[in-house]
Every structure is written in structure tokens, then in C-alpha cells.
Amino acid sequence: MDRAEEAVELLYEDEELALCCDKLLPKLEELFVRLDKTLPDFVDSDYFVELAQRIRLNLLSDEEYRERMLEGKMGVVTVTYQLGSLGLEVARAVAEKLGYRLVYSEILQEVAKRLGVPEWKIEEFNEFKYVPSKLSFFDLFQLDKDFIDFGAIFGEKKKEVTFEDFREALTKTVTAFAVSNNVVIVGHGAACILQEYPNTLHLKVEAPFADRVKVFAEKTGTTLDRAEAQLRKIDEKERQFYRDVCGKDIEQIDLFHLKLNTSKLSVDNTTELAVNAFKLVVEE
């Protein structure tokens, strides 16, 4: 556990943690060892120290977080969805049922901070309200896979950001949200970034293409023909996003515990199945 060694030592040597959370330290060490085995090589040891500091702060300042950790009641849900499948609605409902925090637009805000570019309102990068924010951000990288001139976009001094920078920032951001625990993380490659993360359920919400076109047209106020063209473009960018960021095929079932078809199931029923799956996979 070369990358995790310093982080684990910091946790064991912390006197305040020893007083409140001594029983948790072996579990935390196990988590870091697992992360060391699964996180990509471009994630360095400094990031493991950052995670240790985040966990320490949560344990010392958040009584509910500490109690849940001590009781072993921690979990993460990732929700990947096809646009027009009502997947975001399902994710919100799952978060509400579990009492978890929904993490969606916050991811790109945190990525921007890590990259050292100005924060922006997510909607400024969305052509439509219901387009996943990750796709809009990724469109910027498609302008030139090698670098982007954020200065031209924001009217500031030129700052080059490589695709590798973006991928690293995204991986670190998604993992950091997972470490905060009790979260439902929507999109942004979370299903593959957190593929081996403990106590995690990976969901995919889908629907037949024709049904998704109707939903997309209704939500964006456009024609069916235009909605179909937009959706085909977005679906391809989604597939490319997973290939570039994780080297994975988003259509393959091995990324997910469960795929749910909202043309056959209502949002309420989809949510119930997802919560029951979470209890089977994570809580038992």
C-alpha cells in the first residue's frame, strides 16, 4: 500500500481520533488499502493524505457521520442513466428514501476548483436543462483533446488544461464524494471510477430509444425529429465519455448491479426496487 502508507499513519497517530474512533481505524486502513489497489496510477500519495484529512474532519466534527461509521451504516449509490429515461428523478427519489445526499452538479464545480479554473453556473454549459452536466463539460474537451484555452472562454489569462488533468480531477472528485459517505452520485463516470469501492450499489436507468425521444422532446420543448437527432448525439458522447475516462463500455452490464427500464416501471416502482437492491447489496 505504498500510496496509502502515509495517510494510514496519519490516522493512527492522531490522538483525537484515538480517543473517539479507535475501533474504526482498522476499517479505515482496510479502505485505504483497497483504494490503493483500485485507483489509477495517476492518483498520487498526496491525494490519499487529502482523503485521510477529510475523513478525520468528518469524524471529529460530524456526530451523525461518526455514529454511522461506528455502526457500519455507510453506503454509496451511483446512478447512471440514459437521457430521457427519468433517471435523475429516480436518483433524487432514491436519495430521499435513503436519507442520503444527492451529488450531481456539485461534481463539476469541484472539478473546476481542482483544475484551478473559475467556478461557473452549471446551466451556462447546458444547451438544455436536462442534458447531463458531464456531457456539456466534456464537449469543451472535444474542441481539442490536447488542451483547452479556458482564458478564451472566461476572458481571463490563458490556462491550459489537458484531458489527463480533467480525468485526474474527476477521479479525485468522485472518490472524495464517495468517502463522505451516504451519497447518491449521479453520472460523471462514477460507476466505473468507484467500481471496486466498498458498500456501493451501481444502478443504470434505461428506456427504449423511442420512449426517451418523447420524454426529451417534452422536457426541452422541441420537435420529435430534433429531439431524436440531439439524443443520438448525446448517447454517442456518453459512450465516448466512458471510453475516454475509464476505458469501459457503458452498455456492458458488468459495470452495474442492476439495470432498470422506466418504460416498464414507474419512477416510484423503480425507486423501490433500487432501495431494496441497496439493502441486499450494501446493508446485509
Side-chain angles (χ1 to χ4, degrees):
M1 62 170 189
D2 292 343
R3 291 182 296 178
E5 187 172 354
E6 182 179 357
V8 171
E9 287 180 357
L10 285 174
L11 292 173
Y12 273 105
E13 292 173 0
D14 191 290
E15 294 182 0
E16 289 182 273
L17 283 183
L19 290 174
C20 77
C21 314
D22 186 57
K23 294 180 180 179
L24 280 177
L25 294 179
K27 292 183 179 180
L28 293 176
E29 180 179 2
E30 182 180 341
L31 171 63
F32 276 97
V33 169
R34 191 163 183 174
L35 288 175
D36 187 39
K37 292 179 179 179
T38 58
L39 285 178
D41 292 340
F42 57 72
V43 176
D44 59 21
S45 59
D46 289 343
Y47 178 68
F48 283 78
V49 172
E50 176 191 326
L51 289 182
Q53 292 171 339
R54 284 174 178 262
I55 292 172
R56 176 188 181 278
L57 179 61
N58 286 336
L59 287 172
L60 295 178
S61 63
D62 189 331
E63 184 177 351
E64 182 179 358
Y65 179 93
R66 183 169 62 251
E67 289 178 357
R68 282 178 175 266
M69 284 281 280
L70 288 168
E71 294 172 2
K73 295 180 179 179
M74 308 298 288
V76 176
V77 179
T78 72
V79 179
T80 305
Y81 69 94
Q82 295 177 324
L83 196 59
S85 68
L86 303 178
L88 188 54
E89 288 86 339
V90 171
R92 289 191 177 113
V94 169
E96 184 177 354
K97 283 277 189 180
L98 293 175
Y100 280 15
R101 176 188 177 189
L102 183 77
V103 177
Y104 181 47
S105 60
E106 299 93 332
I107 292 175
L108 291 189
Q109 293 168 350
E110 182 62 28
V111 167
K113 291 178 183 178
R114 286 183 178 275
L115 291 174
V117 299
E119 289 187 51
W120 55 77
K121 296 180 180 179
I122 296 300
E123 58 266 24
E124 292 177 358
F125 289 84
N126 285 345
E127 184 176 1
F128 300 115
K129 179 179 178 182
Y130 288 86
V131 174
S133 53
K134 63 177 179 296
L135 296 174
S136 299
F137 188 61
F138 193 64
D139 282 347
L140 297 178
F141 285 87
Q142 294 304 303
L143 298 176
D144 187 324
K145 193 67 175 293
D146 295 325
F147 71 90
I148 301 173
D149 181 0
F150 275 96
I153 298 171
F154 296 104
E156 299 187 359
K157 186 178 179 180
K158 180 176 180 179
K159 179 179 180 64
E160 292 186 358
V161 178
T162 67
F163 179 79
E164 287 70 25
D165 292 335
F166 160 70
R167 183 177 59 184
E168 180 178 344
L170 180 66
T171 299
K172 290 179 176 180
T173 296
V174 169
T175 304
F177 276 118
V179 166
S180 70
N181 281 301
N182 298 338
V183 290
V184 175
I185 303 177
V186 182
H188 300 87
C192 59
I193 293 172
L194 301 175
Q195 188 60 206
E196 301 300 328
Y197 194 83
N199 299 325
T200 300
L201 174 72
H202 300 294
L203 299 174
K204 177 84 178 291
V205 181
E206 300 180 329
F209 184 74
D211 292 344
R212 294 194 291 121
V213 168
K214 293 176 184 178
V215 172
F216 186 68
E218 180 182 346
K219 288 186 177 295
T220 59
T222 190
T223 65
L224 288 175
D225 287 345
R226 186 171 294 180
E228 180 178 344
Q230 286 284 343
L231 208 53
R232 290 191 187 281
K233 179 181 177 181
I234 290 167
D235 282 354
E236 177 53 36
K237 285 187 178 292
E238 177 89 352
R239 289 189 287 269
Q240 187 64 47
F241 178 86
Y242 272 77
R243 286 194 294 266
D244 287 348
V245 171
C246 305
K248 297 289 187 179
D249 182 354
I250 194 175
E251 304 299 332
Q252 295 300 309
I253 197 169
D254 58 353
L255 279 175
F256 309 102
H257 292 93
L258 185 65
K259 287 189 174 187
L260 296 162
N261 179 0
T262 50
S263 287
K264 297 290 187 181
L265 297 162
S266 67
V267 169
D268 287 344
N269 287 340
T270 302
T271 300
E272 184 176 354
L273 286 171
V275 171
N276 287 338
F278 176 82
K279 292 176 180 178
L280 290 171
V281 173
V282 176
E283 291 187 351
E284 293 186 4

